[in-house]
């Protein structure tokens, strides 16, 4: 009998504990699509990306033309001329690669501009999410469009407890 009472008490405690923390979902894609500043910035970045890609495509066409001319005249060229043309093709391909990295690489201009432009919009959304979480007693907010946690109450972090259980003093 005691075992049944303890089991019921444990289940009630777990049930109440589960309801004590509130969770919410947001769709960040939907939110961002409905912010005019985000849309404007996104359109500007798309135009800039197209402009950069057009430059790269033009260089790519030049490289293809160099290679085509090389293949057509390969039988008439001596070794020094072949080497010179091959070096020109390799140099053009390197120029394309460098330009691609300059514009689209992880540290590229487009990435930097996107991060700078979107930072203010994302900060505004973050502040609103944080305020909503505090006002409504939400412990976690999940982004359903990316399956990520957007906000987590810092009080829920048990990292230090884990370290203590491992015998590590913090």
């Amino acid at each position: 009998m005691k075992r049944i009472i303890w089991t019921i008490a444990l289940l009630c405690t777990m049930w109440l504990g589960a309801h004590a923390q509130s969770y919410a979902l947001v769709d960040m894609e939907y939110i961002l699509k409905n912010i005019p500043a985000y849309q404007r910035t996104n359109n500007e970045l798309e135009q800039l990306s197209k402009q950069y890609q057009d430059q790269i495509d033009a260089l790519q066409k030049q490289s293809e033309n160099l290679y085509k001319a090389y293949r057509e005249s390969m039988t008439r060229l001596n070794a020094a001329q072949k080497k010179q043309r091959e070096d020109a093709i390799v140099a053009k391909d390197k120029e394309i690669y460098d330009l691609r990295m300059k514009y689209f690489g992880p540290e590229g201009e487009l990435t930097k501009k996107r991060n700078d432009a979107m930072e203010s919009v994302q900060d505004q959304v973050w502040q609103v999410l944080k305020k909503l979480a505090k006002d409504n007693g939400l412990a976690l907010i999940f982004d359903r469009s990316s399956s990520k946690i957007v906000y987590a109450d810092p009080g829920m972090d048990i990292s230090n407890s884990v370290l203590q259980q491992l015998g590590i003093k913090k």
Side-chain angles (χ1 to χ4, degrees), residues 13-169:
T13 304
M14 288 173 40
W15 181 76
L16 289 174
H19 289 291
Q21 297 177 355
S22 299
Y23 309 100
L25 294 175
V26 294
D27 187 341
M28 290 301 289
E29 286 181 17
Y30 173 77
I31 291 170
L32 293 175
K33 284 180 184 175
N34 286 288
I35 298 174
Y38 178 83
Q39 288 299 352
R40 242 186 342 271
T41 302
N42 216 22
N43 290 339
E44 291 170 7
L45 290 171
E46 283 179 28
Q47 289 174 354
L48 187 60
S49 175
K50 184 179 179 341
Q51 193 176 21
Y52 289 162
Q53 189 61 47
D54 289 345
Q55 289 178 10
I56 291 171
D57 289 345
L59 288 175
Q60 187 72 36
K61 186 74 170 166
Q62 290 175 7
S63 176
E64 289 170 7
N65 289 339
L66 284 173
Y67 183 70
K68 185 178 176 182
Y70 169 73
R71 286 189 48 129
E72 289 173 356
S73 63
M74 200 163 111
T75 57
R76 298 184 309 263
L77 300 174
N78 63 33
Q81 290 171 326
K82 283 182 182 180
K83 176 80 169 115
Q84 182 183 15
R85 296 251 181 121
E86 289 169 358
D87 289 346
I89 293 169
V90 169
K92 186 59 75 175
D93 287 345
K94 184 179 179 341
E95 181 182 356
I96 293 167
Y97 175 79
D98 290 344
L99 194 60
R100 188 173 281 132
M101 291 308 292
K102 176 184 174 190
Y103 290 151
F104 299 110
E107 298 294 321
E109 290 180 20
L110 193 64
T111 303
K112 288 177 185 175
K113 288 182 183 197
R114 182 176 306 278
N115 290 342
D116 292 344
M118 299 300 181
E119 188 174 347
S120 66
V121 173
Q122 291 170 339
D123 285 345
Q124 289 174 348
V125 172
W126 166 249
Q127 291 303 323
V128 169
L129 287 173
K130 191 173 172 184
K131 183 180 182 327
L132 283 171
K134 297 285 185 201
D135 293 349
N136 296 311
L138 300 173
L140 294 172
I141 298 177
F142 293 96
D143 178 6
R144 71 179 196 189
S145 64
S146 68
S147 301
K148 292 182 180 177
I149 296 175
V150 180
Y151 171 83
D153 181 2
M156 293 183 63
D157 187 350
I158 62 167
S159 301
N160 287 331
S161 298
V162 171
L163 289 174
Q164 280 181 337
Q165 292 293 321
L166 292 170
I168 300 170
K169 305 271 186 204

